[in-house]
Amino acid sequence: MTDSTSTDLAAMLCSRLCHDMLSPVGALSNGLELLAMETDPEMRANVVALLEQSAAISTNKLKFFRLAFGAAGGFGDRVDVAEPRALIEALVADKNKIEINWAIETANLGKPAVKVLLNFAQIAIDALVRGGTLDVGAEIRERNCEIVVRASGPKIAFDDTIGKALDGSLPAHELSSRTAAAHMIALLAEQTGGGLQYARTEDTLVMGAVMPEGEGLIG
C-alpha cells in the first residue's frame, strides 16, 4: 500500500465513522433544542430519556470504532474477550430482532484478531436488516486464531463489493467508505500472514478468518 492509498483508506474509514455517528449525535442536538423549549414536566422527562439513549449509543459506537478501526492504545497486544463481546452486544442492544450466540473458547485474543472479529460482527449486523441470529465464534488452534461470524436471517443484505474487499479482489479505485473496513481487515490479515473468506446464501452470511498468534503483531 502506498502513502496515497493509506491516506485514502484513512479518509474512507473516517467517513464511515462520521456516517454512523451522525444519527445519534444529531438526536442529541435535536433533543437539547426540544429540552430548551419544552416546559411540560412529562414531556421534558421523555426528552431526557431520549437524550440518555442517544448519549449511550454515541458512547458505545465510539468505543467500538476505537478498537475496530483505531490503534486502541489503552489495550495491550492482547485483549480480554469480554471487551469485544461487550462492544458487539452494545451494538445490537436496540435491535430487538437480533439474537447473539457466543462460542469463544479463549480468555483473550490478539489485537489484530479482535479487529477482524469486530468488523465481521459489524458487517453481519448490517446484513440482518430484518433481524435474525448472529453467531460469533473464536478459538486458538496450533498457534492460529480461528474466527467465524455467521448472520442468519430472512433476505440477508450484503453488498458484493464488501465481499470483494474481504477477499482482496476489489480494485483500489472502487474502494469507498462502505467497503473500507472490509478492505482494512483484509490488509491486516495479509500483513500478519493470515487470511479471510466468506460465503453467502439468500438467508446466511458466513465470514471466517485464520490469524497467526505470532509475537509482536501490530494491531
Side-chain angles (χ1 to χ4, degrees):
M1 176 179 283
T2 66
D3 290 342
S4 175
T5 53
S6 295
T7 301
D8 290 343
L9 179 59
M12 291 174 194
L13 290 172
C14 287
S15 293
R16 172 61 192 270
L17 188 154
C18 292
H19 175 273
D20 280 27
M21 292 300 300
L22 187 59
S23 179
V25 172
L28 280 171
S29 178
N30 294 336
L32 289 171
E33 290 180 6
L34 285 173
L35 196 63
M37 296 184 294
E38 188 58 64
T39 57
D40 180 80
E42 184 176 351
M43 290 299 296
R44 286 180 64 86
N46 290 336
V47 173
V48 169
L50 290 174
L51 285 171
E52 291 174 345
Q53 181 184 38
S54 297
I57 292 173
S58 299
T59 300
N60 290 335
K61 283 183 177 290
L62 285 172
K63 288 180 178 179
F64 179 90
F65 287 126
R66 177 186 176 222
L67 189 50
F69 290 177
F75 298 95
D77 289 336
R78 304 194 66 79
V79 179
D80 191 303
V81 295
E83 187 70 26
R85 178 168 177 162
L87 294 175
I88 293 169
E89 288 178 340
L91 280 189
V92 301
D94 60 340
K95 303 180 189 299
N96 298 327
K97 294 183 178 181
I98 297 180
E99 176 186 352
I100 309 180
N101 297 316
W102 298 97
I104 300 181
E105 300 180 0
T106 182
N108 54 68
L109 296 168
K111 199 184 293 183
V114 170
K115 288 184 181 296
V116 171
L117 181 72
L118 290 175
N119 281 282
F120 273 178
Q122 175 79 76
I123 293 169
I125 291 167
D126 289 345
L128 292 172
V129 291
R130 299 192 179 187
T133 302
L134 176 66
D135 299 311
V136 182
E139 64 176 336
I140 307 299
R141 291 201 304 180
E142 299 178 356
R143 292 190 59 77
N144 287 319
C145 177
E146 299 181 1
I147 300 167
V148 176
V149 174
R150 178 173 59 200
S152 304
K155 295 188 177 180
I156 291 291
F158 182 71
D159 192 325
D160 288 339
T161 58
I162 295 176
K164 290 180 179 179
L166 286 173
D167 66 22
S169 64
L170 186 67
H173 68 273
E174 293 184 21
L175 280 173
S176 67
S177 60
R178 182 173 178 79
T179 57
H183 180 66
M184 178 194 71
I185 59 173
L187 287 175
L188 182 59
E190 180 182 1
Q191 291 167 3
T192 56
L196 311 180
Q197 59 183 343
Y198 78 97
R200 65 162 299 188
T201 64
E202 184 177 351
D203 55 9
T204 304
L205 170 65
V206 180
M207 293 169 286
V210 176
M211 304 290 289
E213 285 280 290
E215 297 293 332
L217 295 179
I218 298 174

